[in-house]
Amino acid sequence: MTTDTTEATADATPPKSPAPKKRGLIDRYFGISVAGSTLPREVRAGLTTFLAMSYIVFVNPDVLSNAIVIPGVDNVFTQLIMTTCMAAAIGSLVMGVIARYPFAQAPGMGLNAFFAFTVVIGMGYTWESALAAVFISGVLFVVLSVVGARRAIVQALPMTLKLAITAGIGAFLAFLGMKNAEIIVADEATFLALGDMRSAPVWLALLGLMLTAVLMKLKVTGAILWGILAATAVAIISGAAVYSGEEGLVPFQGFSDGVVGLPMWPSDLAFQLDFAGLMNGESLVVGMVTVVLTFFVVDFFDATGTLTGLAQRAGYLDEHGNMPRAKTVFSMDGLAAITGAMLGTSTTTAYVESAAGVEEGGRTGMTAVTTGVLFLAAMFFWPLIGAVPSAATAPALILVGALMMGGVKDVEWGDIGESLPAFLTVVAMPFTFSIANGVSLGIISYAVIKLFSGKAKQASWLLYLLAALLLARYIWLS
């Protein structure tokens, strides 16, 4: 009887549950498992982001070299490549390690053109003075982030505009992708027109687009990355003229300088800021304030809109549309601008191409860390980046753009007070080639309609203040 009772008791004992799987240090720090991701997925997403934005390694030096000319120095372009890689690496690493967000940073397109062609060539400032202006604007970013002003602005944006910002960034990405692939081209009569559908870039991009879409439909892991690599392989093997040359598009030219290049310290660019030169012989208000504020306002709304849209797409925003660790993430954006200026490049900011990594499954800072490490590696292997043509990364931008449009279904399209600001936000980004303009027009129109339709209390007082400041900016600082 004793034996039977013992056996019965043993049978009644519930089986022990398996011990929880131990999480590694990297997993615990970045919260990879908590975010429902894996380390391989985060690394793959970081690689995808890097490939989607790797063009900046050559494009940024190409733009800035128009303004940064140093007598007696014949390797300015190479130094600019090094500076671009270092600024992108540091910006992405601080965003990943400190803010723990999957958003990469690099010298911003548009801002570099403003730096070179408007401030230096057009307004007559030296490039050293322009770097000082970028530095000051970065300090302002950090200060406003620390005191919570940038977070307050994001919280003041209604959900309608947050959804529209995400969709607008998607439209902007798709526009960039189609432009890079020459599916759309400039036209004197109609501004835009359909490109030559027989050209190699168009066919390569369409091939990559369809292949990537099929892979995504089949739920193939790493579909976007495989699409980029497959299109690149086709470009190299086929000898298609899809690479930029001195006299137009050319086939892949091989690696004439090898695949490894020793990095160098940009001694003629780093720490060359000239704060006194911002005066430029004029009053302080006309000189420094105008240039600094223009850098500040454009990048403030560009970066804020980009980060908000990416956070919404990555699932970071809560039910009230608030972003966790907002002060930190915005501060890292400002810190990247400061660091980039000290290294010798125009404003470093969050990159909208980070959406490609987010769609690839990147959910934590490990994605941005991977991108940052790859930018460091690019200082050694930058010749390899030239093997990936713009037409190969264009499909990723178009597809991600399509996916980011999904949020507009939740906009109240039957209410003109909600639908018009959302519509203006979405279309203004690609039409004006500026995320900042889309955000600005959305805020202004939302505030005006609410104020004059008797619904003023439906918007935050801060939104009305922003609208007034943005109107002033367009009137006096455009």
Side-chain angles (χ1 to χ4, degrees):
M1 294 293 295
T2 303
T3 303
D4 293 341
T5 302
T6 302
E7 291 176 356
T9 302
D11 292 339
T13 302
K16 292 183 178 180
S17 58
K21 184 178 180 180
K22 291 185 178 180
R23 296 165 55 199
L25 178 62
I26 294 178
D27 191 331
R28 293 198 304 272
Y29 181 80
F30 290 105
I32 296 175
S33 296
V34 174
S37 186
T38 63
L39 182 57
R41 183 186 301 167
E42 295 293 310
V43 173
R44 186 174 65 246
L47 175 58
T48 300
T49 297
F50 172 77
L51 290 176
M53 61 187 290
S54 59
Y55 65 86
I56 197 63
V57 174
F58 294 103
V59 175
N60 190 57
D62 187 55
V63 173
L64 294 183
S65 60
N66 289 279
I68 300 180
V69 179
I70 307 175
V73 179
D74 57 2
N75 64 347
V76 172
F77 193 88
T78 303
Q79 290 192 50
L80 282 169
I81 290 177
M82 297 297 109
T83 292
T84 301
C85 289
M86 287 189 287
I90 294 173
S92 299
L93 287 171
V94 296
M95 183 65 77
V97 174
I98 301 177
R100 288 176 286 174
Y101 271 76
F103 309 145
Q105 302 194 90
M109 287 298 298
L111 289 165
N112 54 10
F114 175 76
F115 177 102
F117 298 108
T118 301
V119 177
V120 178
I121 296 175
M123 300 176 69
Y125 288 92
T126 65
W127 60 268
E128 295 94 337
S129 297
L131 289 176
V134 173
F135 181 91
I136 295 173
S137 67
V139 173
L140 290 175
F141 293 151
V142 174
V143 171
L144 289 179
S145 300
V146 171
V147 301
R150 294 184 75 174
R151 180 182 181 183
I153 289 172
V154 173
Q155 291 176 333
L157 295 177
M159 183 56 71
T160 290
L161 290 185
K162 290 176 181 176
L163 294 171
I165 288 171
T166 303
I169 291 174
F172 185 67
L173 274 176
F175 182 88
L176 283 175
M178 298 179 78
K179 171 181 172 292
N180 291 345
E182 299 185 6
I183 296 174
I184 54 175
V185 295
D187 185 271
E188 292 184 2
T190 61
F191 296 104
L192 288 177
L194 184 67
D196 183 359
M197 299 302 289
R198 299 166 298 178
S199 69
V202 172
W203 279 107
L204 182 65
L206 292 177
L207 175 65
L209 180 64
M210 294 299 103
L211 173 61
T212 306
V214 170
L215 293 176
M216 292 177 70
K217 181 65 177 179
L218 296 175
K219 301 187 184 302
V220 174
T221 302
I224 294 177
L225 176 58
W226 287 120
I228 294 174
L229 295 178
T232 300
V234 170
I236 294 174
I237 295 172
S238 67
V242 294
Y243 296 88
S244 297
E246 293 183 359
E247 299 181 358
L249 295 176
V250 297
F252 182 62
Q253 301 296 297
F255 301 104
S256 58
D257 297 324
V259 296
V260 178
L262 291 177
M264 62 180 296
W265 175 252
S267 57
D268 296 296
L269 300 176
F271 306 107
Q272 300 297 318
L273 297 82
D274 180 13
F275 294 94
L278 278 175
M279 297 293 291
N280 199 32
E282 300 179 13
S283 69
L284 178 63
V285 173
V286 174
M288 182 181 71
V289 174
T290 300
V291 176
V292 171
L293 281 184
T294 304
F295 268 121
F296 172 77
V297 171
V298 173
D299 187 48
F300 182 92
F301 286 97
D302 187 56
T304 302
T306 298
L307 289 169
T308 302
L310 291 173
Q312 196 274 337
R313 184 62 192 174
Y316 273 104
L317 302 187
D318 60 22
E319 64 274 13
H320 302 295
N322 298 324
M323 185 190 307
R325 306 186 304 280
K327 285 185 179 180
T328 304
V329 70
F330 288 133
S331 295
M332 293 308 100
D333 174 61
L335 181 61
I338 293 173
T339 304
M342 293 174 66
L343 290 171
T345 185
S346 54
T347 307
T348 302
T349 186
Y351 250 61
V352 69
E353 282 85 353
S354 299
V358 170
E359 292 302 330
E360 196 62 51
R363 290 295 181 271
T364 74
M366 191 61 202
T367 294
V369 168
T370 300
T371 303
V373 171
L374 289 171
F375 270 112
L376 288 177
M379 296 175 64
F380 295 86
F381 298 97
W382 57 266
L384 280 175
I385 301 174
V388 182
S390 296
T393 57
L397 302 182
I398 296 171
L399 277 168
V400 171
L403 294 171
M404 294 183 73
M405 293 295 292
V408 294
K409 68 179 185 300
D410 296 319
V411 173
E412 296 181 38
W413 292 106
D415 182 350
I416 194 66
E418 301 287 325
S419 61
L420 181 61
F423 176 76
L424 291 176
T425 300
V426 173
V427 300
M429 290 188 190
F431 288 173
T432 67
F433 211 75
S434 168
I435 294 173
N437 284 337
V439 175
S440 299
L441 290 179
I443 290 175
I444 293 171
S445 59
Y446 192 92
V448 169
I449 294 174
K450 292 296 182 184
L451 182 62
F452 291 101
S453 63
K455 306 291 183 180
K457 292 184 178 180
Q458 293 183 3
S460 166
W461 65 270
L462 183 55
L463 189 77
Y464 294 111
L465 176 60
L466 286 174
L469 292 174
L470 289 169
L471 274 174
R473 179 248 167 177
Y474 280 118
I475 294 172
W476 287 292
L477 293 179
S478 287

